[in-house]
Amino acid sequence: MSAATAIGDFVTIARANGVAEVTFDRGDGRNALSRQAILELTEAAKNFADDLETHAVILTGKGAFTAGADLKDPAMDRRRANGLLERRHMVKIGPDLCDAWERVEQVTICAIEKFAIGGGVALAAACDFRIMGRSAHLRLPEIPLGMNMSWHAVPRLVSLVGPARAKQFVIYGEKLDSQSALAWGLADDVVDDGKTLGAARLLARKTVALPPNAVRMTKSAVNAAANALHHATTFMDLDQYALTTTSEDYKEAIKAFLEKRAPKFTGR
């Protein structure tokens, strides 16, 4: 690979022989998605818009893929927003991140070690292929925490695993291990821990050996067929998120999580 180009503090891009590797590293092995990290990852996806030399893009995390939204980041605190308009603008960065990665023309491959949580699953679902380490898992904690699953993720998950399994995965917030993810179609390959990047590189090289125009056109055609109704079913998920996070159930869920106890929901 060539010398890596930094996109801010947490994201680097290295290119060689038609393959680019995007590495997300917050230095702690967990890689929570702070506001800055989300914006850098979005910028990384946009970096390929005029790149005619790269034909496959690998997205990986140093350590875990990502622990999801960084609730400790002050910049992610919606309570700082001055009214609903600003609040909506603040939470828009998540769906914008996933949409940016879905729009990448090159084939995109996620190498997932350890775990991908919440927004990390949404990001992975926006890419073309997902390779998981054997002991890695996926989890969506949003519903048990009193909010909806947003980031335009639900229709992508339905396309990948079908409606019943999407409901099971999204609603219950339970861990999905790598073998189950493979059986469901959410993962495309499972390899030994620490080997996901190597497997992603093999798939990337396989992609680079093909005619790039035909590959890009085919990806575009498949996405057009699979995603035709996605906007119609996600245009409100940002507003649903803004609404659910004003509920008493949301406040109770967060309080119970911090106090390490079972929440008591009332529907209010």
mmCIF file of all heavy atoms in Angstrom, residues 73-119:
data_model
loop_
_atom_site.group_PDB
_atom_site.id
_atom_site.type_symbol
_atom_site.label_atom_id
_atom_site.label_comp_id
_atom_site.label_asym_id
_atom_site.label_seq_id
_atom_site.Cartn_x
_atom_site.Cartn_y
_atom_site.Cartn_z
ATOM 1 N N ASP A 73 -19.425 11.916 23.829
ATOM 2 C CA ASP A 73 -18.946 13.066 23.058
ATOM 3 C C ASP A 73 -19.898 14.244 23.264
ATOM 4 O O ASP A 73 -21.077 14.158 22.877
ATOM 5 C CB ASP A 73 -18.884 12.681 21.575
ATOM 6 C CG ASP A 73 -18.433 13.840 20.690
ATOM 7 O OD1 ASP A 73 -17.927 14.844 21.243
ATOM 8 O OD2 ASP A 73 -18.591 13.734 19.465
ATOM 9 N N PRO A 74 -19.441 15.353 23.832
ATOM 10 C CA PRO A 74 -20.326 16.500 24.041
ATOM 11 C C PRO A 74 -20.971 17.000 22.749
ATOM 12 O O PRO A 74 -22.096 17.497 22.763
ATOM 13 C CB PRO A 74 -19.391 17.573 24.633
ATOM 14 C CG PRO A 74 -18.265 16.804 25.232
ATOM 15 C CD PRO A 74 -18.082 15.606 24.359
ATOM 16 N N ALA A 75 -20.268 16.842 21.642
ATOM 17 C CA ALA A 75 -20.807 17.316 20.366
ATOM 18 C C ALA A 75 -21.986 16.472 19.887
ATOM 19 O O ALA A 75 -22.713 16.869 18.976
ATOM 20 C CB ALA A 75 -19.714 17.307 19.295
ATOM 21 N N MET A 76 -22.187 15.294 20.502
ATOM 22 C CA MET A 76 -23.317 14.437 20.146
ATOM 23 C C MET A 76 -24.520 14.674 21.059
ATOM 24 O O MET A 76 -25.552 14.015 20.905
ATOM 25 C CB MET A 76 -22.896 12.965 20.223
ATOM 26 C CG MET A 76 -21.807 12.570 19.255
ATOM 27 S SD MET A 76 -22.397 12.394 17.554
ATOM 28 C CE MET A 76 -23.075 10.735 17.642
ATOM 29 N N ASP A 77 -24.407 15.585 21.997
ATOM 30 C CA ASP A 77 -25.470 15.838 22.965
ATOM 31 C C ASP A 77 -26.557 16.692 22.318
ATOM 32 O O ASP A 77 -26.381 17.887 22.100
ATOM 33 C CB ASP A 77 -24.898 16.541 24.200
ATOM 34 C CG ASP A 77 -25.925 16.680 25.318
ATOM 35 O OD1 ASP A 77 -27.106 16.323 25.093
ATOM 36 O OD2 ASP A 77 -25.558 17.145 26.405
ATOM 37 N N ARG A 78 -27.689 16.074 22.024
ATOM 38 C CA ARG A 78 -28.778 16.783 21.351
ATOM 39 C C ARG A 78 -29.375 17.878 22.230
ATOM 40 O O ARG A 78 -30.039 18.785 21.746
ATOM 41 C CB ARG A 78 -29.874 15.790 20.958
ATOM 42 C CG ARG A 78 -29.422 14.753 19.939
ATOM 43 C CD ARG A 78 -30.474 13.682 19.764
ATOM 44 N NE ARG A 78 -30.859 13.118 21.046
ATOM 45 C CZ ARG A 78 -30.182 12.193 21.686
ATOM 46 N NH1 ARG A 78 -29.059 11.741 21.170
ATOM 47 N NH2 ARG A 78 -30.586 11.720 22.843
ATOM 48 N N ARG A 79 -29.165 17.783 23.540
ATOM 49 C CA ARG A 79 -29.733 18.790 24.432
ATOM 50 C C ARG A 79 -29.089 20.160 24.223
ATOM 51 O O ARG A 79 -29.621 21.182 24.653
ATOM 52 C CB ARG A 79 -29.560 18.350 25.889
ATOM 53 C CG ARG A 79 -30.408 17.137 26.251
ATOM 54 C CD ARG A 79 -30.040 16.583 27.605
ATOM 55 N NE ARG A 79 -28.664 16.101 27.635
ATOM 56 C CZ ARG A 79 -28.117 15.496 28.691
ATOM 57 N NH1 ARG A 79 -28.827 15.322 29.782
ATOM 58 N NH2 ARG A 79 -26.864 15.093 28.645
ATOM 59 N N ARG A 80 -27.951 20.194 23.559
ATOM 60 C CA ARG A 80 -27.274 21.462 23.278
ATOM 61 C C ARG A 80 -27.943 22.208 22.130
ATOM 62 O O ARG A 80 -27.672 23.380 21.910
ATOM 63 C CB ARG A 80 -25.807 21.214 22.930
ATOM 64 C CG ARG A 80 -25.001 20.605 24.058
ATOM 65 C CD ARG A 80 -23.610 20.179 23.604
ATOM 66 N NE ARG A 80 -22.842 21.265 23.025
ATOM 67 C CZ ARG A 80 -22.508 21.356 21.752
ATOM 68 N NH1 ARG A 80 -22.897 20.433 20.894
ATOM 69 N NH2 ARG A 80 -21.798 22.372 21.311
ATOM 70 N N ALA A 81 -28.797 21.525 21.401
ATOM 71 C CA ALA A 81 -29.416 22.141 20.234
ATOM 72 C C ALA A 81 -30.389 23.237 20.640
ATOM 73 O O ALA A 81 -31.112 23.114 21.631
ATOM 74 C CB ALA A 81 -30.143 21.083 19.409
ATOM 75 N N ASN A 82 -30.402 24.304 19.867
ATOM 76 C CA ASN A 82 -31.304 25.425 20.107
ATOM 77 C C ASN A 82 -32.550 25.248 19.238
ATOM 78 O O ASN A 82 -32.676 25.843 18.172
ATOM 79 C CB ASN A 82 -30.588 26.743 19.785
ATOM 80 C CG ASN A 82 -31.454 27.950 20.073
ATOM 81 O OD1 ASN A 82 -32.381 27.867 20.876
ATOM 82 N ND2 ASN A 82 -31.167 29.054 19.414
ATOM 83 N N GLY A 83 -33.450 24.384 19.684
ATOM 84 C CA GLY A 83 -34.685 24.156 18.945
ATOM 85 C C GLY A 83 -34.627 22.940 18.045
ATOM 86 O O GLY A 83 -33.586 22.334 17.819
ATOM 87 N N LEU A 84 -35.791 22.582 17.498
ATOM 88 C CA LEU A 84 -35.930 21.360 16.716
ATOM 89 C C LEU A 84 -35.133 21.401 15.414
ATOM 90 O O LEU A 84 -34.549 20.392 15.010
ATOM 91 C CB LEU A 84 -37.412 21.120 16.408
ATOM 92 C CG LEU A 84 -37.739 19.862 15.593
ATOM 93 C CD1 LEU A 84 -37.242 18.608 16.295
ATOM 94 C CD2 LEU A 84 -39.238 19.776 15.332
ATOM 95 N N LEU A 85 -35.105 22.560 14.759
ATOM 96 C CA LEU A 85 -34.387 22.641 13.477
ATOM 97 C C LEU A 85 -32.914 22.295 13.662
ATOM 98 O O LEU A 85 -32.339 21.506 12.896
ATOM 99 C CB LEU A 85 -34.540 24.044 12.890
ATOM 100 C CG LEU A 85 -33.919 24.247 11.499
ATOM 101 C CD1 LEU A 85 -34.603 23.344 10.485
ATOM 102 C CD2 LEU A 85 -34.040 25.715 11.080
ATOM 103 N N GLU A 86 -32.284 22.878 14.688
ATOM 104 C CA GLU A 86 -30.873 22.596 14.941
ATOM 105 C C GLU A 86 -30.686 21.151 15.395
ATOM 106 O O GLU A 86 -29.711 20.504 15.038
ATOM 107 C CB GLU A 86 -30.328 23.557 15.994
ATOM 108 C CG GLU A 86 -28.824 23.407 16.223
ATOM 109 C CD GLU A 86 -28.270 24.430 17.188
ATOM 110 O OE1 GLU A 86 -28.912 25.482 17.390
ATOM 111 O OE2 GLU A 86 -27.186 24.171 17.742
ATOM 112 N N ARG A 87 -31.645 20.650 16.165
ATOM 113 C CA ARG A 87 -31.552 19.266 16.641
ATOM 114 C C ARG A 87 -31.605 18.284 15.477
ATOM 115 O O ARG A 87 -30.840 17.326 15.419
ATOM 116 C CB ARG A 87 -32.700 19.009 17.614
ATOM 117 C CG ARG A 87 -32.593 17.696 18.352
ATOM 118 C CD ARG A 87 -33.733 17.588 19.337
ATOM 119 N NE ARG A 87 -33.671 16.323 20.048
ATOM 120 C CZ ARG A 87 -34.729 15.732 20.578
ATOM 121 N NH1 ARG A 87 -35.913 16.292 20.480
ATOM 122 N NH2 ARG A 87 -34.606 14.588 21.208
ATOM 123 N N ARG A 88 -32.511 18.523 14.539
ATOM 124 C CA ARG A 88 -32.603 17.669 13.359
ATOM 125 C C ARG A 88 -31.303 17.719 12.569
ATOM 126 O O ARG A 88 -30.842 16.697 12.059
ATOM 127 C CB ARG A 88 -33.770 18.091 12.466
ATOM 128 C CG ARG A 88 -35.142 17.825 13.058
ATOM 129 C CD ARG A 88 -36.245 18.252 12.105
ATOM 130 N NE ARG A 88 -36.461 17.240 11.076
ATOM 131 C CZ ARG A 88 -36.130 17.381 9.799
ATOM 132 N NH1 ARG A 88 -35.513 18.491 9.396
ATOM 133 N NH2 ARG A 88 -36.382 16.421 8.930
ATOM 134 N N HIS A 89 -30.733 18.897 12.464
ATOM 135 C CA HIS A 89 -29.478 19.044 11.724
ATOM 136 C C HIS A 89 -28.355 18.267 12.415
ATOM 137 O O HIS A 89 -27.526 17.633 11.745
ATOM 138 C CB HIS A 89 -29.105 20.515 11.615
ATOM 139 C CG HIS A 89 -27.840 20.749 10.850
ATOM 140 N ND1 HIS A 89 -27.741 20.575 9.491
ATOM 141 C CD2 HIS A 89 -26.591 21.117 11.278
ATOM 142 C CE1 HIS A 89 -26.509 20.834 9.099
ATOM 143 N NE2 HIS A 89 -25.792 21.168 10.155
ATOM 144 N N MET A 90 -28.324 18.276 13.734
ATOM 145 C CA MET A 90 -27.272 17.576 14.480
ATOM 146 C C MET A 90 -27.327 16.074 14.258
ATOM 147 O O MET A 90 -26.291 15.416 14.121
ATOM 148 C CB MET A 90 -27.391 17.883 15.974
ATOM 149 C CG MET A 90 -26.933 19.276 16.372
ATOM 150 S SD MET A 90 -27.127 19.573 18.149
ATOM 151 C CE MET A 90 -25.912 18.411 18.816
ATOM 152 N N VAL A 91 -28.538 15.496 14.232
ATOM 153 C CA VAL A 91 -28.652 14.036 14.129
ATOM 154 C C VAL A 91 -28.619 13.552 12.673
ATOM 155 O O VAL A 91 -28.599 12.347 12.425
ATOM 156 C CB VAL A 91 -29.926 13.523 14.827
ATOM 157 C CG1 VAL A 91 -29.907 13.897 16.297
ATOM 158 C CG2 VAL A 91 -31.192 14.048 14.168
ATOM 159 N N LYS A 92 -28.582 14.487 11.731
ATOM 160 C CA LYS A 92 -28.569 14.119 10.312
ATOM 161 C C LYS A 92 -27.245 13.499 9.873
ATOM 162 O O LYS A 92 -27.177 12.828 8.840
ATOM 163 C CB LYS A 92 -28.853 15.389 9.504
ATOM 164 C CG LYS A 92 -29.098 15.194 8.021
ATOM 165 C CD LYS A 92 -29.560 16.506 7.406
ATOM 166 C CE LYS A 92 -29.711 16.394 5.893
ATOM 167 N NZ LYS A 92 -28.390 16.342 5.232
ATOM 168 N N ILE A 93 -26.188 13.703 10.672
ATOM 169 C CA ILE A 93 -24.873 13.229 10.227
ATOM 170 C C ILE A 93 -24.802 11.705 10.134
ATOM 171 O O ILE A 93 -24.051 11.171 9.326
ATOM 172 C CB ILE A 93 -23.736 13.759 11.127
ATOM 173 C CG1 ILE A 93 -23.937 13.325 12.591
ATOM 174 C CG2 ILE A 93 -23.617 15.268 11.010
ATOM 175 C CD1 ILE A 93 -22.749 13.654 13.472
ATOM 176 N N GLY A 94 -25.576 10.984 10.947
ATOM 177 C CA GLY A 94 -25.561 9.519 10.890
ATOM 178 C C GLY A 94 -26.086 8.988 9.570
ATOM 179 O O GLY A 94 -25.389 8.230 8.872
ATOM 180 N N PRO A 95 -27.324 9.349 9.194
ATOM 181 C CA PRO A 95 -27.808 8.907 7.889
ATOM 182 C C PRO A 95 -26.950 9.404 6.733
ATOM 183 O O PRO A 95 -26.762 8.681 5.746
ATOM 184 C CB PRO A 95 -29.232 9.485 7.815
ATOM 185 C CG PRO A 95 -29.466 10.242 9.050
ATOM 186 C CD PRO A 95 -28.374 9.962 10.009
ATOM 187 N N ASP A 96 -26.419 10.617 6.848
ATOM 188 C CA ASP A 96 -25.557 11.131 5.779
ATOM 189 C C ASP A 96 -24.307 10.263 5.610
ATOM 190 O O ASP A 96 -23.837 10.044 4.482
ATOM 191 C CB ASP A 96 -25.137 12.571 6.082
ATOM 192 C CG ASP A 96 -26.247 13.578 5.825
ATOM 193 O OD1 ASP A 96 -27.300 13.172 5.279
ATOM 194 O OD2 ASP A 96 -26.078 14.754 6.184
ATOM 195 N N LEU A 97 -23.753 9.769 6.725
ATOM 196 C CA LEU A 97 -22.589 8.887 6.670
ATOM 197 C C LEU A 97 -22.914 7.626 5.875
ATOM 198 O O LEU A 97 -22.176 7.245 4.951
ATOM 199 C CB LEU A 97 -22.153 8.522 8.089
ATOM 200 C CG LEU A 97 -21.194 7.338 8.231
ATOM 201 C CD1 LEU A 97 -19.840 7.657 7.604
ATOM 202 C CD2 LEU A 97 -21.037 6.939 9.699
ATOM 203 N N CYS A 98 -24.010 6.971 6.234
ATOM 204 C CA CYS A 98 -24.349 5.714 5.573
ATOM 205 C C CYS A 98 -24.705 5.924 4.106
ATOM 206 O O CYS A 98 -24.319 5.130 3.243
ATOM 207 C CB CYS A 98 -25.504 5.043 6.317
ATOM 208 S SG CYS A 98 -25.095 4.582 8.013
ATOM 209 N N ASP A 99 -25.418 7.003 3.819
ATOM 210 C CA ASP A 99 -25.767 7.289 2.426
ATOM 211 C C ASP A 99 -24.512 7.549 1.590
ATOM 212 O O ASP A 99 -24.429 7.142 0.428
ATOM 213 C CB ASP A 99 -26.689 8.500 2.352
ATOM 214 C CG ASP A 99 -28.077 8.219 2.922
ATOM 215 O OD1 ASP A 99 -28.366 7.046 3.225
ATOM 216 O OD2 ASP A 99 -28.852 9.173 3.071
ATOM 217 N N ALA A 100 -23.523 8.230 2.192
ATOM 218 C CA ALA A 100 -22.280 8.509 1.466
ATOM 219 C C ALA A 100 -21.561 7.216 1.096
ATOM 220 O O ALA A 100 -21.035 7.085 -0.026
ATOM 221 C CB ALA A 100 -21.369 9.400 2.302
ATOM 222 N N TRP A 101 -21.531 6.266 2.003
ATOM 223 C CA TRP A 101 -20.872 4.997 1.711
ATOM 224 C C TRP A 101 -21.666 4.168 0.710
ATOM 225 O O TRP A 101 -21.084 3.485 -0.141
ATOM 226 C CB TRP A 101 -20.601 4.222 3.000
ATOM 227 C CG TRP A 101 -19.317 4.682 3.612
ATOM 228 C CD1 TRP A 101 -19.146 5.661 4.550
ATOM 229 C CD2 TRP A 101 -17.997 4.230 3.266
ATOM 230 N NE1 TRP A 101 -17.808 5.849 4.815
ATOM 231 C CE2 TRP A 101 -17.094 4.985 4.050
ATOM 232 C CE3 TRP A 101 -17.504 3.277 2.394
ATOM 233 C CZ2 TRP A 101 -15.708 4.787 3.967
ATOM 234 C CZ3 TRP A 101 -16.130 3.083 2.311
ATOM 235 C CH2 TRP A 101 -15.253 3.829 3.094
ATOM 236 N N GLU A 102 -22.988 4.238 0.764
ATOM 237 C CA GLU A 102 -23.776 3.506 -0.224
ATOM 238 C C GLU A 102 -23.570 4.071 -1.626
ATOM 239 O O GLU A 102 -23.627 3.335 -2.615
ATOM 240 C CB GLU A 102 -25.263 3.568 0.144
ATOM 241 C CG GLU A 102 -26.144 2.700 -0.749
ATOM 242 C CD GLU A 102 -27.581 2.664 -0.282
ATOM 243 O OE1 GLU A 102 -28.278 3.694 -0.427
ATOM 244 O OE2 GLU A 102 -28.018 1.620 0.239
ATOM 245 N N ARG A 103 -23.305 5.384 -1.718
ATOM 246 C CA ARG A 103 -23.127 6.019 -3.022
ATOM 247 C C ARG A 103 -21.745 5.791 -3.632
ATOM 248 O O ARG A 103 -21.530 6.137 -4.801
ATOM 249 C CB ARG A 103 -23.384 7.528 -2.907
ATOM 250 C CG ARG A 103 -24.862 7.901 -2.812
ATOM 251 C CD ARG A 103 -25.069 9.389 -3.034
ATOM 252 N NE ARG A 103 -24.459 10.180 -1.980
ATOM 253 C CZ ARG A 103 -25.094 10.594 -0.890
ATOM 254 N NH1 ARG A 103 -26.358 10.264 -0.691
ATOM 255 N NH2 ARG A 103 -24.472 11.323 0.023
ATOM 256 N N VAL A 104 -20.794 5.248 -2.898
ATOM 257 C CA VAL A 104 -19.469 4.972 -3.468
ATOM 258 C C VAL A 104 -19.624 4.027 -4.660
ATOM 259 O O VAL A 104 -20.232 2.961 -4.549
ATOM 260 C CB VAL A 104 -18.536 4.350 -2.394
ATOM 261 C CG1 VAL A 104 -17.222 3.891 -3.034
ATOM 262 C CG2 VAL A 104 -18.272 5.350 -1.278
ATOM 263 N N GLU A 105 -19.102 4.408 -5.816
ATOM 264 C CA GLU A 105 -19.254 3.588 -7.026
ATOM 265 C C GLU A 105 -18.418 2.327 -6.981
ATOM 266 O O GLU A 105 -18.797 1.294 -7.533
ATOM 267 C CB GLU A 105 -18.873 4.408 -8.267
ATOM 268 C CG GLU A 105 -19.952 5.329 -8.766
ATOM 269 C CD GLU A 105 -19.736 5.712 -10.221
ATOM 270 O OE1 GLU A 105 -18.603 5.546 -10.719
ATOM 271 O OE2 GLU A 105 -20.702 6.162 -10.847
ATOM 272 N N GLN A 106 -17.263 2.400 -6.337
ATOM 273 C CA GLN A 106 -16.397 1.238 -6.237
ATOM 274 C C GLN A 106 -17.032 0.177 -5.318
ATOM 275 O O GLN A 106 -17.875 0.493 -4.470
ATOM 276 C CB GLN A 106 -15.023 1.642 -5.693
ATOM 277 C CG GLN A 106 -14.249 2.587 -6.584
ATOM 278 C CD GLN A 106 -14.532 4.057 -6.352
ATOM 279 O OE1 GLN A 106 -15.544 4.407 -5.752
ATOM 280 N NE2 GLN A 106 -13.642 4.928 -6.814
ATOM 281 N N VAL A 107 -16.609 -1.051 -5.468
ATOM 282 C CA VAL A 107 -17.066 -2.114 -4.566
ATOM 283 C C VAL A 107 -16.511 -1.849 -3.172
ATOM 284 O O VAL A 107 -15.314 -1.586 -3.006
ATOM 285 C CB VAL A 107 -16.610 -3.493 -5.078
ATOM 286 C CG1 VAL A 107 -16.821 -4.575 -4.015
ATOM 287 C CG2 VAL A 107 -17.363 -3.848 -6.359
ATOM 288 N N THR A 108 -17.371 -1.899 -2.160
ATOM 289 C CA THR A 108 -16.963 -1.613 -0.783
ATOM 290 C C THR A 108 -17.059 -2.881 0.068
ATOM 291 O O THR A 108 -18.049 -3.612 0.005
ATOM 292 C CB THR A 108 -17.836 -0.504 -0.170
ATOM 293 O OG1 THR A 108 -19.224 -0.828 -0.345
ATOM 294 C CG2 THR A 108 -17.544 0.829 -0.839
ATOM 295 N N ILE A 109 -16.028 -3.104 0.865
ATOM 296 C CA ILE A 109 -15.904 -4.332 1.661
ATOM 297 C C ILE A 109 -15.579 -3.947 3.100
ATOM 298 O O ILE A 109 -14.592 -3.257 3.351
ATOM 299 C CB ILE A 109 -14.782 -5.233 1.115
ATOM 300 C CG1 ILE A 109 -14.965 -5.490 -0.391
ATOM 301 C CG2 ILE A 109 -14.712 -6.544 1.895
ATOM 302 C CD1 ILE A 109 -13.711 -5.987 -1.089
ATOM 303 N N CYS A 110 -16.387 -4.380 4.052
ATOM 304 C CA CYS A 110 -16.125 -4.126 5.472
ATOM 305 C C CYS A 110 -15.418 -5.327 6.089
ATOM 306 O O CYS A 110 -15.863 -6.464 5.933
ATOM 307 C CB CYS A 110 -17.427 -3.885 6.231
ATOM 308 S SG CYS A 110 -18.206 -2.325 5.868
ATOM 309 N N ALA A 111 -14.333 -5.063 6.797
ATOM 310 C CA ALA A 111 -13.628 -6.094 7.566
ATOM 311 C C ALA A 111 -13.952 -5.853 9.035
ATOM 312 O O ALA A 111 -13.499 -4.883 9.624
ATOM 313 C CB ALA A 111 -12.129 -6.012 7.310
ATOM 314 N N ILE A 112 -14.744 -6.744 9.633
ATOM 315 C CA ILE A 112 -15.297 -6.519 10.969
ATOM 316 C C ILE A 112 -14.659 -7.461 11.983
ATOM 317 O O ILE A 112 -14.886 -8.672 11.947
ATOM 318 C CB ILE A 112 -16.825 -6.709 10.973
ATOM 319 C CG1 ILE A 112 -17.477 -5.747 9.970
ATOM 320 C CG2 ILE A 112 -17.398 -6.508 12.370
ATOM 321 C CD1 ILE A 112 -18.955 -5.978 9.762
ATOM 322 N N GLU A 113 -13.861 -6.896 12.853
ATOM 323 C CA GLU A 113 -13.292 -7.644 13.970
ATOM 324 C C GLU A 113 -14.026 -7.250 15.266
ATOM 325 O O GLU A 113 -14.513 -6.125 15.410
ATOM 326 C CB GLU A 113 -11.805 -7.339 14.129
ATOM 327 C CG GLU A 113 -10.935 -7.749 12.950
ATOM 328 C CD GLU A 113 -10.631 -9.238 12.902
ATOM 329 O OE1 GLU A 113 -11.014 -9.971 13.845
ATOM 330 O OE2 GLU A 113 -10.002 -9.679 11.915
ATOM 331 N N LYS A 114 -14.128 -8.176 16.182
ATOM 332 C CA LYS A 114 -14.660 -7.975 17.538
ATOM 333 C C LYS A 114 -16.142 -7.627 17.552
ATOM 334 O O LYS A 114 -16.970 -8.425 17.946
ATOM 335 C CB LYS A 114 -13.832 -6.945 18.295
ATOM 336 C CG LYS A 114 -12.394 -7.395 18.534
ATOM 337 C CD LYS A 114 -11.638 -6.414 19.408
ATOM 338 C CE LYS A 114 -10.223 -6.910 19.656
ATOM 339 N NZ LYS A 114 -9.448 -5.978 20.507
ATOM 340 N N PHE A 115 -16.502 -6.420 17.158
ATOM 341 C CA PHE A 115 -17.925 -6.056 17.184
ATOM 342 C C PHE A 115 -18.196 -4.836 16.314
ATOM 343 O O PHE A 115 -17.318 -4.022 16.053
ATOM 344 C CB PHE A 115 -18.424 -5.787 18.612
ATOM 345 C CG PHE A 115 -17.535 -4.866 19.416
ATOM 346 C CD1 PHE A 115 -17.544 -3.490 19.209
ATOM 347 C CD2 PHE A 115 -16.685 -5.375 20.393
ATOM 348 C CE1 PHE A 115 -16.733 -2.640 19.959
ATOM 349 C CE2 PHE A 115 -15.871 -4.538 21.148
ATOM 350 C CZ PHE A 115 -15.898 -3.166 20.931
ATOM 351 N N ALA A 116 -19.451 -4.782 15.880
ATOM 352 C CA ALA A 116 -20.012 -3.570 15.260
ATOM 353 C C ALA A 116 -21.340 -3.349 15.957
ATOM 354 O O ALA A 116 -22.208 -4.232 15.963
ATOM 355 C CB ALA A 116 -20.208 -3.749 13.762
ATOM 356 N N ILE A 117 -21.493 -2.175 16.572
ATOM 357 C CA ILE A 117 -22.669 -1.882 17.384
ATOM 358 C C ILE A 117 -23.429 -0.695 16.781
ATOM 359 O O ILE A 117 -22.825 0.272 16.308
ATOM 360 C CB ILE A 117 -22.269 -1.530 18.840
ATOM 361 C CG1 ILE A 117 -21.324 -2.598 19.414
ATOM 362 C CG2 ILE A 117 -23.499 -1.364 19.721
ATOM 363 C CD1 ILE A 117 -21.917 -3.957 19.561
ATOM 364 N N GLY A 118 -24.750 -0.730 16.852
ATOM 365 C CA GLY A 118 -25.588 0.411 16.491
ATOM 366 C C GLY A 118 -25.252 0.993 15.135
ATOM 367 O O GLY A 118 -25.407 0.352 14.096
ATOM 368 N N GLY A 119 -24.775 2.243 15.152
ATOM 369 C CA GLY A 119 -24.428 2.918 13.920
ATOM 370 C C GLY A 119 -23.365 2.190 13.120
ATOM 371 O O GLY A 119 -23.287 2.336 11.897
#
